[in-house]
Amino acid sequence: MALPPPDPQFVLRGTSAAVHTLHFSCGGQEPDFPILFSGQSGFVHVWNLKTRRVETALDGHGRKSVYWVETMGAKDRLLSQGRDQRICLWDLAEGRTSVTDSVFTENVGFCRCSLLKVAQERWLMAMATKSLEEVQVLELPSKTSVCTLKPEVGAKLGMPMCLKLWQLDTGSQPWLLAGYEDGSVILWNLSMGKVWSQLVCHQEPVMSLDFDSEKAKGISGSSEKVLSIWSLNEQQNLQVYKTHELINSGISDITIRSDKKILATAGWDHRIRIFGWKKMKPLAVLDYHTATVHCVAFSDHRNPSERLLAAGSKDHRISVWSIYAQT
Amino acid sequence: CSLPGGSDCSVSFVSQVVGKVCVHGGQKDILGVLVPQLTELTQSDCIWQRICWRLVESVPDRWMEAVLLGFIQSAPGADALSRLLGNLVVKNKKAQFVMTQKLLLLQYGYTTAVLQNVLGYLSLDNLRRALLIKVLQELLETWGSSSAVRHSPVEQQLYISKAILICLSHLKEPEIESCRQELLTNMMAGVKCHLDSSLPQIRRLGMIVAESVSVKINTDGPVLKFQYEEDNETQELKSLLVQAPQHCVVPSLADNRNERAEAALPGELEAAEKPQTATQVVPEEESDTELDSDDDLVPYDMSEDKEIKSTKAPVYIRDCIEVLTGSDDVHKWDATIKALEGLIRKNPAATREVSVELAKILLHVEEKSCIEGFAVLRQKAQVAVLTTDPIPVAQYLTSQFYSLNYSLRQRMDILDVLVLAAQEMSSPKFYGKNKPSNAQKPCIQLLPESNSSKDWRKIVDERIKSKTRRFAKGRSQAETDAGPNKFNSVAGHFFFPLIQNFDRPLSTFDLLGEDHFVLGRLVHTLAILMYLAASAVVVTSMGKALLEFVWALRFHTDAYVRQGLLSCISSILLSVPAAHLLEDVAEALVETQCWLADVVEKDPDGDCRRLALQNLLLMENLKKKLETAPS
């Protein structure tokens, strides 16, 4: 007899707006200070997971929605991307809350950026730019443009919807996976600045994707009922591995846990689904939210048993779950 | 025996010997030796052929039939028969009669091989082909005559159909041209009679023959195409249309025995192959799972994960009624239909307030959108209403059964709902857990008729078996949850209104006239209701009424109706306590026994005869039980 799905470990209330993005920072030097960043309309909230309260609220985007947050290295440096067409770099050390730098993307879309650490104190960030089909890769913190990835004329890919920078190990060549509005996923070669491989995965826009560089396998979700799992072969070409049919259509976010064992999807049907990554075995359906779930994130706790999963939804709640933490 | 090699010999003596032996029943013995030798000898030698012809022609007329039948049955193929008999059929009147009339139209016990032989023989010589066409026309006339369809046994109709198909396969284009119009007229008339029949097998035969005739006549136009269930019989019939090559010694469609033997061999080979492939597949899967270290991730229960419905179904019964009667919103209507049965069962009190109205709506509601299984959903809801508030709803439904302006389909739906509800109420298990034997009950099917009588028999058999088992084994099985039999108190309300008005014709509904199909369904329904009412108080009066009903209809021409009447008798014998039967209806039972004996001997339908025999056995058992019971 299968157990009924678990309840959330706790639920964070206090954002008075739909939660668009979440990011954990729990693996740092101070194990007693686990942090969850959440981005919603107007603010970035810094949650203390011990007290389960908002520590600080960062207002840097003129009350516009924040739809991506990520830490650069330690938890006192934060990047946030908002609908005011800006990406802000925050300095949060020692209680400060100031924007030290910002990038003006001029992009009016919803494409979340992707951050990759390539060397000590050097990051690459991929973002969508003013021109609706292009993706630009910047080096941070210098903000120099590494390359601009323009699809060829007539490709009709539409806007980039989601990005993922990855490299096989630190020091090797970085690649970019981008999901587009026409349902295709493209692997860009950054050193050449050209398309390496293209695969049409969906009939509808790709909403979100995630990639496992160890197994060279990735997964993408769209507004339809199908999750598409694809892989890279030896020549680094994309090929479809399998598809998984869902009960209700619409996926807003997918993320694979760092131990590559499970993955979580955030669905428009208010449910979070957990799958085993190896074989896409459905493991659980977490039904708590009463509106569409916008984002899911796994925590980066050093201690495996403390690992958490957080989901932010349009119903203004962030549910935090402890699931499959023992393995 | 070998004939002397002299040049002049009289064959007539041999003919007489052969004739006399055959007439006395020694066909197989003598012809078993004679025919193979003759076949071989006549294969290439014309003299032997002529000798053989003389032999057969000289057989005196009074023994001709026996000899001919013997030859036909033992000849290995149509061309062999042709060599053996020559143009006997043209020269000898008696032979012609036997081959073209008696064998085909008056008897029907022979195998398909015999038919192939005869008709193939007729087709092999130009002189005889005229006979072939005549035979085909006569066969089609018989096939198409409505009285033949109604009164002749199924086996005979199958035989004639096979003969028609084989004839068709032998005809050539110019011959078809010449009689095209007649074929068409006969076929159209025949198809109508066949489709009118209540027995599914007859309908199917009609469809297959009509399709085949149509294919042959209209080689380049649109052909008739029917939809029917394919099975061994239809495959066999269709294969008759294609002629196997003439020189094969063993006819491709031999006895059923041969067919089964051949079919068994490939089946064995296949079965032997399959385990090998199965074992090949399994090791692959096993090696896969060994690599899977995710087995420690145990899935949680995901049964609550269902489709999100954009429209919510109404939660109150009265809301459902509103939606079904008035609403134009298709999504809401869909959601209501799907949720209705559950709501009715969860809110019995609320349902009882509006039960008749709900029943009325459900009887008349038509499919607005294409939901899957609309008919099943509607029927389930109707059954739910009926079981929740049996008496008023049963009164309503039974009165509507006999009212004006309902379609036959609606009247039959009423009967189906009554039966399903009766079953549910009389079964000790909870709603939701179906007994496997009842699962095939007349739900929405277009061909349930003979199935329902068979299933009914299964129930009876099971019940008889279960009764005997209890004595022998005691409580070996865990007892099922006991619940009160709710049907007992309302059995009368279901039964008597249905039986009351059957002989009053209405302008749109005449049970005793053309709507005999519905009469058949009604009779079967009454049989089931009678059976389920075994422990009701009114069972004796039900039994009496049913017995009179059966008596009035016992000579009905439709075989399906007769089968139903016999099922009624069985139900009466099983349900009414024996003592009451003897007390109240003893004379009627004796008369019934005489009638049953008559049916066993003379009824053309095989199922009727079987059912009558079963009833006689039941009566015997009853008598024995009463005699041995302590008084």
Side-chain angles (χ1 to χ4, degrees):
Chain A
M1 258 304 284
L3 293 169
D7 289 328
Q9 201 173 58
F10 52 90
V11 177
L12 300 173
R13 299 168 152 79
T15 68
S16 37
V19 179
H20 291 293
T21 178
L22 292 168
H23 184 78
F24 277 96
S25 178
C26 311
Q29 251 57 359
E30 297 149 327
D32 283 339
F33 206 37
I35 293 268
L36 173 63
F37 295 98
S38 74
Q40 50 270 352
S41 291
F43 296 97
V44 173
H45 283 191
V46 182
W47 299 83
N48 181 332
L49 290 175
K50 279 278 153 106
T51 62
R52 298 171 189 176
R53 297 252 175 106
V54 179
E55 286 266 325
T56 4
L58 307 172
D59 179 10
H61 291 275
R63 302 298 166 100
K64 293 275 171 63
S65 262
V66 175
Y67 56 92
W68 179 66
V69 283
E70 193 147 336
T71 50
M72 264 173 73
K75 60 168 162 291
D76 46 6
R77 265 199 302 197
L78 184 72
L79 283 168
S80 68
Q81 183 183 20
R83 289 282 290 152
D84 60 349
Q85 302 173 25
R86 280 199 324 159
I87 302 177
C88 293
L89 176 63
W90 300 78
D91 173 21
L92 301 173
E94 290 146 17
R96 291 191 289 270
T97 58
S98 52
V99 180
T100 51
D101 210 348
S102 70
V103 175
F104 193 47
T105 63
E106 292 180 87
N107 173 262
V108 295
F110 294 89
C111 182
R112 295 173 180 154
C113 302
S114 175
L115 191 68
L116 180 70
K117 182 168 186 175
V118 286
Q120 188 74 338
E121 291 302 310
R122 254 186 66 211
W123 283 267
L124 286 180
M125 182 173 76
M127 60 188 204
T129 59
K130 178 176 179 187
S131 165
L132 282 177
E133 286 197 348
E134 277 177 24
V135 175
Q136 193 175 39
V137 181
L138 293 184
E139 193 195 307
L140 293 181
S142 56
K143 296 201 293 190
T144 47
S145 169
V146 171
C147 56
T148 314
L149 304 171
K150 237 188 289 211
E152 56 189 41
V153 176
K156 291 226 165 90
L157 295 168
M159 291 193 300
M161 303 290 295
C162 44
L163 303 168
K164 173 105 184 150
L165 281 168
W166 61 279
Q167 53 183 171
L168 199 49
D169 5 53
T170 11
S172 66
Q173 187 196 53
W175 298 81
L176 172 68
L177 279 165
Y180 287 84
E181 210 181 337
D182 71 334
S184 51
V185 170
I186 294 191
L187 178 66
W188 290 91
N189 183 325
L190 292 181
S191 42
M192 296 200 284
K194 282 202 299 192
V195 174
W196 189 261
S197 167
Q198 179 174 3
L199 180 68
V200 177
C201 301
H202 297 278
Q203 310 296 323
E204 304 276 321
V206 181
M207 286 292 164
S208 168
L209 59 82
D210 203 357
F211 185 69
D212 175 2
S213 49
E214 288 161 35
K215 296 205 193 91
K217 217 163 67 163
I219 179 169
S220 60
S222 143
S223 50
E224 45 180 28
K225 275 191 186 182
V226 179
L227 285 173
S228 175
I229 300 109
W230 28 267
S231 63
L232 292 183
N233 61 7
E234 297 80 40
Q235 290 86 25
Q236 305 286 62
N237 282 326
L238 287 167
Q239 55 199 22
V240 174
Y241 183 71
K242 68 157 98 159
T243 55
H244 182 88
E245 181 101 7
L246 299 163
I247 292 185
N248 293 307
S249 52
I251 293 285
S252 0
D253 197 8
I254 302 184
T255 177
I256 305 176
R257 198 161 73 175
S258 47
D259 64 352
K260 316 287 186 221
K261 283 207 178 158
I262 62 175
L263 68 95
T265 66
W268 291 0
D269 59 347
H270 326 329
R271 294 175 195 154
I272 306 154
R273 289 161 204 280
I274 312 282
F275 296 90
W277 178 221
K278 214 176 220 159
K279 290 181 146 195
M280 276 312 281
K281 176 165 117 174
L283 290 174
V285 175
L286 306 174
D287 197 3
Y288 168 75
H289 289 284
T290 52
T292 143
V293 183
H294 283 310
C295 50
V296 275
F298 280 104
S299 72
D300 53 348
H301 283 92
R302 293 257 173 87
N303 184 353
S305 58
E306 287 175 19
R307 286 177 300 183
L308 299 168
L309 164 72
S313 157
K314 194 171 161 188
D315 62 1
H316 309 188
R317 309 258 182 277
I318 301 169
S319 54
V320 182
W321 313 71
S322 169
I323 190 164
Y324 293 118
Q326 278 70 35
T327 54
Chain B
C1 67
S2 52
L3 292 175
S7 42
D8 274 345
C9 59
S10 165
V11 190
S12 55
F13 173 65
V14 184
S15 316
Q16 298 213 357
V17 168
V18 171
K20 189 123 193 203
V21 172
C22 286
V23 143
H24 287 296
Q27 277 157 331
K28 282 216 187 90
D29 304 325
I30 193 169
L31 292 178
V33 177
L34 206 51
V35 167
Q37 295 220 350
L38 284 175
T39 318
E40 215 185 294
L41 290 168
T42 54
Q43 193 135 12
S44 40
D45 195 340
C46 285
I47 301 186
W48 270 109
Q49 281 186 12
R50 245 170 275 167
I51 295 180
C52 193
W53 298 348
R54 280 298 297 269
L55 178 81
V56 186
E57 282 161 29
S58 321
V59 172
D61 269 355
R62 58 188 179 280
W63 302 326
M64 175 62 79
E65 182 184 333
V67 175
L68 204 52
L69 286 177
F71 265 92
I72 295 174
Q73 282 178 307
S74 38
D79 54 334
L81 195 62
S82 168
R83 290 198 305 268
L84 291 172
L85 298 180
N87 279 340
L88 179 65
V89 75
V90 176
K91 296 181 199 166
N92 188 312
K93 287 279 170 230
K94 183 83 196 257
Q96 192 178 76
F97 174 71
V98 168
M99 282 190 108
T100 61
Q101 304 268 358
K102 193 157 183 183
L103 204 59
L104 299 171
L105 298 169
L106 299 176
Q107 295 176 331
Y108 57 96
Y110 299 106
T111 63
T112 322
V114 167
L115 282 176
Q116 292 270 24
N117 281 351
V118 170
L119 297 168
Y121 163 71
L122 286 179
S123 72
L124 279 174
D125 186 282
N126 288 332
L127 283 178
R128 306 195 286 254
R129 283 192 87 95
L131 282 176
L132 184 69
I133 300 183
K134 197 166 99 130
V135 157
L136 177 60
Q137 284 171 344
E138 279 176 15
L139 281 172
L140 265 180
E141 266 180 53
T142 318
W143 175 79
S145 103
S146 63
S147 68
V149 172
R150 263 181 294 167
H151 298 292
S152 49
V154 178
E155 293 78 16
Q156 186 167 23
Q157 300 196 32
L158 182 60
Y159 186 81
I160 293 187
S161 308
K162 282 190 194 170
I164 295 181
L165 291 173
I166 299 177
C167 275
L168 284 175
S169 71
H170 282 290
L171 283 185
K172 296 200 198 111
E173 255 306 305
E175 290 157 341
I176 300 183
E177 264 306 317
S178 60
C179 55
R180 175 173 301 211
Q181 201 46 45
E182 284 174 46
L183 288 181
L184 189 60
T185 347
N186 280 333
M187 187 263 283
M188 295 307 283
V191 153
K192 184 171 170 304
C193 304
H194 280 262
L195 292 177
D196 268 341
S197 159
S198 322
L199 296 173
Q201 204 180 9
I202 305 276
R203 291 203 293 266
R204 223 171 35 178
L205 278 178
M207 291 194 245
I208 295 177
V209 172
E211 274 185 8
S212 318
V213 173
S214 148
V215 160
K216 279 284 173 178
I217 314 182
N218 301 338
T219 42
D220 55 342
V223 293
L224 262 187
K225 197 83 185 89
F226 287 100
Q227 265 184 331
Y228 46 81
E229 267 176 44
E230 296 269 352
D231 68 358
N232 289 340
E233 197 180 277
T234 63
Q235 305 282 9
E236 191 196 328
L237 286 169
K238 282 197 188 164
S239 61
L240 290 174
L241 264 189
V242 177
Q243 269 301 310
Q246 291 291 336
H247 56 265
C248 64
V249 179
V250 178
S252 52
L253 290 172
D255 274 346
N256 286 342
R257 271 175 266 133
N258 270 355
E259 269 181 339
R260 265 182 246 141
E262 285 172 8
L265 283 177
E268 282 171 9
L269 287 174
E270 275 178 37
E273 284 175 14
K274 271 183 198 161
Q276 286 177 11
T277 50
T279 48
Q280 278 170 9
V281 169
V282 167
E284 283 179 25
E285 285 184 11
E286 279 177 11
S287 56
D288 243 345
T289 51
E290 274 163 16
L291 295 175
D292 189 354
S293 61
D294 279 349
D295 278 346
D296 48 353
L297 293 173
V298 178
Y300 287 96
D301 177 29
M302 289 179 275
S303 56
E304 287 299 313
D305 190 14
K306 291 183 207 121
E307 256 185 71
I308 296 267
K309 286 186 208 157
S310 49
T311 350
K312 285 200 193 148
V315 185
Y316 297 108
I317 300 278
R318 291 188 191 266
D319 290 344
C320 291
I321 295 182
E322 245 181 66
V323 171
L324 287 174
T325 46
S327 162
D328 279 331
D329 182 352
V330 181
H331 294 297
K332 211 154 189 200
W333 194 88
D334 276 357
T336 310
I337 286 279
K338 284 186 196 159
L340 191 55
E341 187 204 358
L343 281 177
I344 294 175
R345 292 198 187 265
K346 280 191 215 149
N347 303 306
T351 312
R352 266 178 234 129
E353 289 169 22
V354 290
S355 56
V356 180
E357 200 183 323
L358 200 49
K360 195 166 169 189
I361 295 171
L362 285 171
L363 193 57
H364 291 98
V365 76
E366 273 167 20
E367 198 170 348
K368 255 194 199 162
S369 60
C370 295
I371 328 180
E372 253 177 65
F374 168 73
V376 177
L377 288 168
R378 183 178 70 167
Q379 192 185 56
K380 283 193 175 165
Q382 286 174 308
V383 172
V385 173
L386 186 50
T387 50
T388 314
D389 196 10
I391 298 184
V393 178
Q395 277 175 348
Y396 172 71
L397 286 177
T398 48
S399 64
Q400 295 306 297
F401 180 74
Y402 284 108
S403 302
L404 289 173
N405 292 334
Y406 279 96
S407 70
L408 290 184
R409 184 75 252 167
Q410 281 172 315
R411 296 189 207 266
M412 293 198 291
D413 278 347
I414 293 178
L415 293 176
D416 287 342
V417 169
L418 286 169
V419 164
L420 287 171
Q423 271 187 305
E424 192 186 305
M425 287 197 287
S426 59
S427 133
K429 289 197 186 144
F430 273 144
Y431 139 73
K433 299 179 201 164
N434 293 322
K435 275 194 226 161
S437 59
N438 292 348
Q440 299 307 320
K441 266 306 166 175
C443 270
I444 303 297
Q445 288 170 46
L446 292 177
L447 300 174
E449 303 86 38
S450 39
N451 285 349
S452 67
S453 78
K454 282 186 199 137
D455 281 336
W456 158 86
R457 225 181 303 144
K458 261 188 253 162
I459 303 176
V460 169
D461 288 341
E462 269 186 49
R463 184 143 177 209
I464 296 178
K465 260 191 272 173
S466 67
K467 276 186 178 169
T468 49
R469 213 194 289 155
R470 251 180 254 147
F471 286 136
K473 285 193 195 165
R475 286 186 191 185
S476 58
Q477 290 168 324
E479 300 220 321
T480 54
D481 293 344
N485 182 335
K486 301 190 202 101
F487 184 57
N488 288 339
S489 40
V490 299
H493 291 277
F494 279 45
F495 182 85
F496 289 110
L498 279 181
I499 209 175
Q500 257 169 9
N501 296 330
F502 75 95
D503 50 358
R504 252 186 263 167
L506 301 165
S507 58
T508 57
F509 183 50
D510 183 11
L511 266 181
L512 292 178
E514 356 173 276
D515 296 319
H516 51 83
F517 183 64
V518 184
L519 179 65
R521 291 291 285 267
L522 174 64
V523 175
H524 278 272
T525 305
L526 290 172
I528 300 176
L529 288 178
M530 180 78 231
Y531 178 72
L532 290 171
S535 34
V537 174
V538 295
V539 67
T540 318
S541 15
M542 277 169 73
K544 270 201 277 186
L546 194 56
L547 212 49
E548 279 178 35
F549 174 75
V550 168
W551 195 249
L553 289 176
R554 69 192 185 283
F555 291 127
H556 202 274
T557 48
D558 185 335
Y560 181 59
V561 172
R562 288 202 302 276
Q563 288 170 9
L565 294 172
L566 292 164
S567 324
C568 285
I569 301 280
S570 308
S571 300
I572 297 174
L573 291 172
L574 287 171
S575 301
V576 180
H580 291 197
L581 273 179
L582 272 198
E583 241 178 72
D584 293 334
V585 287
E587 313 90 43
L589 275 186
V590 174
E591 287 177 335
T592 312
Q593 200 168 24
C594 297
W595 170 57
L596 287 174
D598 202 45
V599 169
V600 170
E601 282 172 41
K602 300 194 194 139
D603 194 298
D605 183 75
D607 279 332
C608 283
R609 292 198 295 270
R610 253 173 280 143
L611 284 171
L613 192 57
Q614 199 166 20
N615 283 338
L616 284 172
L617 287 174
L618 280 174
M619 286 183 117
E620 281 301 311
N621 285 344
L622 213 64
K623 262 200 263 176
K624 274 191 217 149
K625 235 199 308 183
L626 284 173
E627 281 161 21
T628 56
S631 47

